[in-house]
């Protein structure tokens, strides 16, 4: 029963209240919570006894209440007790069962614990196995990547191998650092890197070898491209003359040609492909490995060695196709093009100074090889081909921004050699032409032949083409047009050497002038002058005619050379010494003709057989005078026919003058002591015949040559010879008679008259004294 509560107005202490609260607590926790403060406050035995008393009082009250309840509900209580007993029996049974079950569970728990321990142990093993498997997987992945690196190397994937090695070193090896395999692979990384570097260098060396082998073909393609540019520039020049002012590789030419794209390094038409991938890969790998500087140094050394392999020890320049020289220049060009392309495709990989040094070295070696072999070349056509290949090489390399100035001196050497060979060949040609000529007027059979001769020769015909009839003859012999052809060929072939890259045009002009002058003077003019020793007057006349035309040709040549000058800076006229040489040779030929004609005249006059003491007069001319007039007539109509009129008249004038002098010398001969009147008449008959012949020529100037002879013979026949000593009479009748000769002849005529009339010697002496006094 519940504890009694204090009555109204009754004092209530805290112990009692605490005891009541404890009794009504619903749980142990609440009971403890109520009990703890009371116990903490109990400090004396009385308060504890008071608490116990309060608790006992409450307990007694509760028992009283239970007893009261039980008394009023006994039957129900008994029933409840029975039920509790039954429950107790069930509880006991259940307890037994629970104990049995507990025992069974206890045994099962032991088994389970054993199994759990086994499970725990197996899990530890499984965990170890799993960790081992993971470690093995990580190690296998490392080994796979290591094998992959070598597999990529075997398949030439060098950069992929390097990437795989880098991934292996920086990622996967970090996962297995606690294993021995990581240390082993880590130690092998430098060796593998070295293998990759060596492998990529092997591929690069293979690429370099192929590039070196392909250098010649690359140069050949570059030359072909330059020739195509030349053709296009020539076509543009033909269409518009303004392009003639711009050379190949000039800015204008490059702009005009930019539409015609031609990639030399990658061209399907020429089947040429130069792939720089191996170089790029090698560069990247060495940069990745931190060996970029060393690689650049090694690459430069390799290219220097390859440059040396391009240079042969000797060069054959005598083959007509120029294969040796072409191979050398094409190889140098291909090598240099690859170098320039490498500079353009990479960044600071090839130093410009290294490339230029290689280029200068190759140029110097090539120039040395060509110069050393130049003495073997003895054909100007081969030399011109050599110069053509060198010029093509220079133009090609200039388009790749290489300096070709070192070849200028070589071109000058080639030109000097070329001009010497050309001069030697044309010297032989001129000599052959001069020596094989027939020295006869050149016959022409038809108009085509005539036109060809006029076209190649410096010849201005006197007649129009419409007035010509064939067959005909030209005044000069065949050697003249042949020499003119050679002169034109010499000019053309000298100027063939001139092009965009031979800037020494003044050298060409001067060499052409001096060489042509030398050829004309020594091989033509001098050869013709040497032939003037011939005794055949017709040949001498033809030589004179040829010299006349050669002089005209030289004058024309001077104008032609002035107009064709390569150098625009040259000024002044062009003068050939050959012009004066031919003019002098012409005078020599004229003198030689005079000599031959006069010699013939002398020979004829020497046959004169005058009997200066004869008493017989002949009305017939002497035989020598007939032959003389016949000879003079024949040389006019045949031998001198081809000469210019002024020369022909001069020769004829000199011949008549010499004839008159020679005839006059006959009676003046010291061996002739006296001349009879009959001999004087015979001489007068011959002189009269000669005068009649000269009159038939209808040239008053020629008649003047006989004035002295005619007047002298007239004086010898004069009835009054004293008139000769009268100045007024002498100037009127005998003005052309030499005073001394006239006096001597008069003395001889007087002596002859005296001998004939058998006069006294005294009178002859007196006359002689008187004559000498007057003549003095």
């Amino acid at each position: 029963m519940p504890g009694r509560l204090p009555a109204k107005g009754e004092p209530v202490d805290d112990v009692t209240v605490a005891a009541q609260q404890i009794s009504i607590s619903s749980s142990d926790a609440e009971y403890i919570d109520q009990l703890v403060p009371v116990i903490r406050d109990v400090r004396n035995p009385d308060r504890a006894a008071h608490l116990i008393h309060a608790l006992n009082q409450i307990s007694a009250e509760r028992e009283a209440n239970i007893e009261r309840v039980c008394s009023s509900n006994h039957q129900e209580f008994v029933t409840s007790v029975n039920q509790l007993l039954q429950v107790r029996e069930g509880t006991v049974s259940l307890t037994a069962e629970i104990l049995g079950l507990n025992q069974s569970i206890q045994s099962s728990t032991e088994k389970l614990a054993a199994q759990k321990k086994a499970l725990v142990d197996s899990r530890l093993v499984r965990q170890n196995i799993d960790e081992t498997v993971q470690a093995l997987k990580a190690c296998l992945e490392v080994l796979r990547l290591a094998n992959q690196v070598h597999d990529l190397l075997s398949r030439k994937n060098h950069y992929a191998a390097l990437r795989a090695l880098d991934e292996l070193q920086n990622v996967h090896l970090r996962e297995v650092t606690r294993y021995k395999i990581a240390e082993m692979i880590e130690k092998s990384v430098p060796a593998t890197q070295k293998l990759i570097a060596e492998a990529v260098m092997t591929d690069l060396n293979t690429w370099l070898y192929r590039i070196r082998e392909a250098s010649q073909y690359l140069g050949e393609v570059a030359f072909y491209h330059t020739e195509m540019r030349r053709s296009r520039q020539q076509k543009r020049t033909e269409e518009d003359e303004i392009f003639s002012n711009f050379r190949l590789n000039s800015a204008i030419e490059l702009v005009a040609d930019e539409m015609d794209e031609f990639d030399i390094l990658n061209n399907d038409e020429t089947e040429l492909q130069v792939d720089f991938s191996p170089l790029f890969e090698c560069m990247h790998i060495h940069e990745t490995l931190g060996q970029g500087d060393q690689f650049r140094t090694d690459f430069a050394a390799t290219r220097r060695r390859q440059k040396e392999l391009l240079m042969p020890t000797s060069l054959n320049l005598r083959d007509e196709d120029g294969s040796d020289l072409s191979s050398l220049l094409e190889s140098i060009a291909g090598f240099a093009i690859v170098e320039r392309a490498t500079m353009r495709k990479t960044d600071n990989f090839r130093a410009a100074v290294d490339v230029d040094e290689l280029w200068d070295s190759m140029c110097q070696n090539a120039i040395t090889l060509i110069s050393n072999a130049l003495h073997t070349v003895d054909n100007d056509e081969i030399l011109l081909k050599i110069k053509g290949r060198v010029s093509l090489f220079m133009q090609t390399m200039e388009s790749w921004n290489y300096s070709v100035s070192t070849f200028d001196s070589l071109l000058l050497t080639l030109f000097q050699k070329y001009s010497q060979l050309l001069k030697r060949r044309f010297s032989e040609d001129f000599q052959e032409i001069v020596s094989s000529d027939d020295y006869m007027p050149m016959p022409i059979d038809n108009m085509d032949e005539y036109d060809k001769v006029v076209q190649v020769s410096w010849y201005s015909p006197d007649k129009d083409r419409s007035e010509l009839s064939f067959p005909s003859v030209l005044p000069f012999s065949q050697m003249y047009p042949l020499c003119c052809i050679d002169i034109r060929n010499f000019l053309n072939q000298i100027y063939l050497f001139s092009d965009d890259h031979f800037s020494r045009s003044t050298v060409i002009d001067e060499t052409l002038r001096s060489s042509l002058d030398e050829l004309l003077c020594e091989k033509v003019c001098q050869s013709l002058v040497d032939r003037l020793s011939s005794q055949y007057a017709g040949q001498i006349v033809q030589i004179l005619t040829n010299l006349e035309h050669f002089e005209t040709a030289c004058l024309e040549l001077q104008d032609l050379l002035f107009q064709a000058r390569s150098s625009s800076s040259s000024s002044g006229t062009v003068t050939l010494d050959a012009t004066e040489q031919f003019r002098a040779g012409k005078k020599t030929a004229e003198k030689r003709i005079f000599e031959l004609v006069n010699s013939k005249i002398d020979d004829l006059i020497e046959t004169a057989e005058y009997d200066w003491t004869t008493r017989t007069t002949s009305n017939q001319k002497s035989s020598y005078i007939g032959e003389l007039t016949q000879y003079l007539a024949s040389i006019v109509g045949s031998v001198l026919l081809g000469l210019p009129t002024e020369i022909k008249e001069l020769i004829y004038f000199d011949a008549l003058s010499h004839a008159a002098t020679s005839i006059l010398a006959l009676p003046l001969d010291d061996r002739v002591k006296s001349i009879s009147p009959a001999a004087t008449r015979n001489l007068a008959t011959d002189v009269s015949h000669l005068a009649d012949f000269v009159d038939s020529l209808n040239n008053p100037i020629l008649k003047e040559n006989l004035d002295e002879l005619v007047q002298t013979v007239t004086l010898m026949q004069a009835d009054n010879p004293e008139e000769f000593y009268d100045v007024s009479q002498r100037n009127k009748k005998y003005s052309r008679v030499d005073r001394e000769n006239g006096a001597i002849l008069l003395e001889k005529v007087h002596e002859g008259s005296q001998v004939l009339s058998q006069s006294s010697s005294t009178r002859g002496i007196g006359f002689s004294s008187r004559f000498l006094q007057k003549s003095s």
Side-chain angles (χ1 to χ4, degrees), residues 489-508:
N489 289 337
F490 184 77
L491 291 173
N492 293 333
Q493 294 195 34
I494 282 288
Y495 281 119
L496 280 177
F497 204 93
S498 177
D499 62 7
D500 290 344
H501 269 289
F502 190 67
S503 57
R504 302 174 183 269
S505 54
T506 305
V507 175
I508 291 182

Side-chain angles (χ1 to χ4, degrees), residues 128-138:
N128 290 336
I129 291 174
D130 290 341
E131 290 178 357
T132 302
V133 169
Q134 292 297 327
L136 287 174
K137 285 183 179 179

Side-chain angles (χ1 to χ4, degrees), residues 471-735:
S472 179
V473 292
L474 296 177
F476 42 77
S477 64
Q478 193 172 6
M479 68 159 292
Y480 176 68
L482 292 178
C483 287
C484 289
I485 293 175
D486 266 10
I487 291 171
R488 294 182 184 274
N489 289 337
F490 184 77
L491 291 173
N492 293 333
Q493 294 195 34
I494 282 288
Y495 281 119
L496 280 177
F497 204 93
S498 177
D499 62 7
D500 290 344
H501 269 289
F502 190 67
S503 57
R504 302 174 183 269
S505 54
T506 305
V507 175
I508 291 182
D509 295 332
E510 181 57 28
T511 301
L512 175 58
R513 186 202 64 79
S514 61
S515 299
L516 188 58
D517 220 359
E518 183 178 343
L519 287 173
L520 291 174
C521 290
E522 296 182 2
K523 301 303 176 182
V524 179
C525 183
Q526 189 58 46
S527 297
L528 291 176
V529 171
D530 292 343
R531 288 184 171 272
L532 293 177
S533 60
S534 171
Q535 299 297 321
Y536 178 50
Q539 184 176 4
I540 306 301
V541 170
Q542 188 60 61
I543 291 175
L544 176 58
T545 303
N546 291 348
L547 289 169
E548 176 77 20
H549 284 86
F550 274 115
E551 181 186 358
T552 303
C554 286
L555 295 174
E556 297 288 342
L557 268 175
Q558 290 177 166
D559 294 336
L560 180 62
L561 291 176
F562 177 77
Q563 297 172 4
R565 270 180 173 172
S566 304
S567 176
S568 58
S569 61
S570 300
S571 60
T573 59
V574 176
T575 303
L576 292 174
D577 295 337
T579 306
E580 189 60 34
Q581 288 281 353
F582 281 114
R583 188 175 293 120
K586 188 173 64 174
K587 293 185 179 299
T588 304
E590 292 174 1
K591 292 179 180 179
R592 180 58 181 161
I593 293 175
F594 295 159
E595 292 176 1
L596 289 177
V597 172
N598 293 342
S599 176
K600 181 63 176 178
I601 292 173
D602 290 340
D603 292 340
L604 292 174
I605 293 177
E606 284 180 0
T607 62
E609 297 179 351
Y610 285 110
D611 183 2
W612 299 108
T613 60
T614 184
R615 298 181 180 185
T616 304
T617 302
S618 174
N619 294 325
Q620 298 295 327
K621 63 181 181 297
S622 302
S623 60
Y624 88 91
I625 203 68
E627 294 177 3
L628 177 61
T629 55
Q630 185 178 0
Y631 171 72
L632 292 175
S634 66
I635 64 171
V636 172
S638 60
V639 177
L640 305 181
L641 184 62
L643 290 177
T645 302
E646 61 275 10
I647 297 179
K648 182 164 57 178
E649 290 180 350
L650 181 62
I651 292 175
Y652 216 63
F653 184 89
D654 183 78
L656 289 174
S657 177
H658 184 72
T661 302
S662 299
I663 294 173
L664 185 58
L666 293 175
L668 287 172
D669 193 336
D670 292 340
R671 292 173 296 177
V672 179
K673 302 301 182 180
S674 61
I675 301 175
S676 65
T680 302
R681 287 192 293 270
N682 292 338
L683 177 61
T685 300
D686 292 339
V687 171
S688 176
H689 179 74
L690 179 60
D692 293 340
F693 168 74
V694 175
D695 288 338
S696 66
L697 298 177
N698 296 320
N699 191 335
I701 297 178
L702 297 179
K703 183 65 178 295
E704 293 177 0
N705 286 329
L706 300 182
D707 285 349
E708 181 180 6
L709 177 61
V710 171
Q711 290 182 13
T712 301
V713 173
T714 301
L715 174 62
M716 292 171 66
Q717 295 178 298
D719 294 334
N720 186 13
E722 297 293 335
E723 292 179 346
F724 180 70
Y725 302 105
D726 185 346
V727 175
S728 60
Q729 293 296 323
R730 186 176 64 200
N731 290 336
K732 182 186 296 185
K733 293 183 178 182
Y734 311 110
S735 59

Side-chain angles (χ1 to χ4, degrees), residues 35 41 106 151 219 226 248 355 367 374 434 472 474 483 490 563 607 661 736:
L35 182 60
D41 293 336
Q106 184 68 32
D151 184 53
T226 302
L248 207 67
V355 175
I367 291 173
L374 201 58
V434 173
S472 179
L474 296 177
C483 287
F490 184 77
Q563 297 172 4
T607 62
T661 302
R736 303 295 298 275

Side-chain angles (χ1 to χ4, degrees), residues 374 377-384 387 410-428 490-491 493-498 502 507-516 518-519:
L374 201 58
V377 180
D378 56 0
N379 186 297
D380 57 273
E381 294 180 357
I382 293 178
L383 199 62
L384 191 61
K387 176 262 173 187
L410 176 62
L411 287 181
L412 181 59
T413 302
L414 289 176
F415 176 71
Q416 292 171 347
K417 177 76 172 180
Y418 175 73
S419 61
Q420 291 174 1
L421 293 178
L422 202 64
K423 186 167 65 174
R424 186 179 69 184
R425 177 162 69 86
F426 278 92
S427 175
E428 294 173 354
F490 184 77
L491 291 173
Q493 294 195 34
I494 282 288
Y495 281 119
L496 280 177
F497 204 93
S498 177
F502 190 67
V507 175
I508 291 182
D509 295 332
E510 181 57 28
T511 301
L512 175 58
R513 186 202 64 79
S514 61
S515 299
L516 188 58
E518 183 178 343
L519 287 173

Side-chain angles (χ1 to χ4, degrees), residues 232-265:
R232 290 193 291 269
Q233 179 69 2
Q234 180 64 30
K235 184 177 180 180
R236 285 190 288 267
T237 301
E238 293 174 356
E239 294 173 353
D240 190 349
E241 292 185 359
I242 193 173
F243 284 98
S244 62
N245 299 321
F246 304 103
R247 53 182 288 184
L248 207 67
N249 295 319
S250 64
I252 297 297
E253 187 273 334
L254 292 175
V255 170
D257 202 62
E258 64 182 358
M259 297 302 295
D260 296 289
E261 296 184 358
F262 188 90
D263 188 355
I264 294 178
L265 299 176

Side-chain angles (χ1 to χ4, degrees), residues 121-271:
D121 292 340
S122 66
R123 284 182 177 176
L124 290 174
V125 173
R126 177 67 178 272
Q127 183 178 357
N128 290 336
I129 291 174
D130 290 341
E131 290 178 357
T132 302
V133 169
Q134 292 297 327
L136 287 174
K137 285 183 179 179
C139 292
L140 287 175
E141 180 66 15
V142 169
L143 288 175
R144 185 189 68 78
L145 288 175
N147 291 332
Q148 184 182 11
V149 170
H150 291 278
D151 184 53
L152 290 172
L153 271 178
S154 64
R155 288 183 293 171
K156 306 296 185 182
N157 293 333
H158 306 115
Y159 182 67
L162 188 63
R163 288 288 302 274
L165 183 63
D166 182 69
E167 181 182 355
L168 173 65
Q169 183 180 14
N170 297 321
V171 178
H172 296 281
L173 282 182
R174 292 182 178 180
E175 299 175 0
V176 293
T177 54
R178 62 184 180 274
Y179 304 117
K180 187 70 173 179
I181 191 173
E183 182 181 354
M184 296 173 60
I185 293 179
E186 183 71 29
K187 291 180 179 180
S188 69
V189 167
T192 306
Q193 289 177 339
K194 184 177 180 181
L195 284 176
I196 295 174
E198 291 176 351
V200 76
M201 280 302 298
T202 300
D203 284 358
L204 179 66
N205 290 333
T206 302
W207 178 78
L208 287 173
Y209 174 77
R210 291 174 179 172
I211 287 294
R212 182 172 67 85
E213 291 296 314
S215 292
Q216 181 178 347
Y217 183 59
L218 180 61
E220 182 180 349
V221 173
F223 287 2
Y224 167 78
H225 176 51
T226 302
E227 288 179 345
M228 293 299 99
R229 290 174 56 205
R230 279 180 172 179
S231 300
R232 290 193 291 269
Q233 179 69 2
Q234 180 64 30
K235 184 177 180 180
R236 285 190 288 267
T237 301
E238 293 174 356
E239 294 173 353
D240 190 349
E241 292 185 359
I242 193 173
F243 284 98
S244 62
N245 299 321
F246 304 103
R247 53 182 288 184
L248 207 67
N249 295 319
S250 64
I252 297 297
E253 187 273 334
L254 292 175
V255 170
D257 202 62
E258 64 182 358
M259 297 302 295
D260 296 289
E261 296 184 358
F262 188 90
D263 188 355
I264 294 178
L265 299 176
N266 295 282
N267 191 274
D268 295 333
E269 180 182 353
T270 58
E271 299 181 357

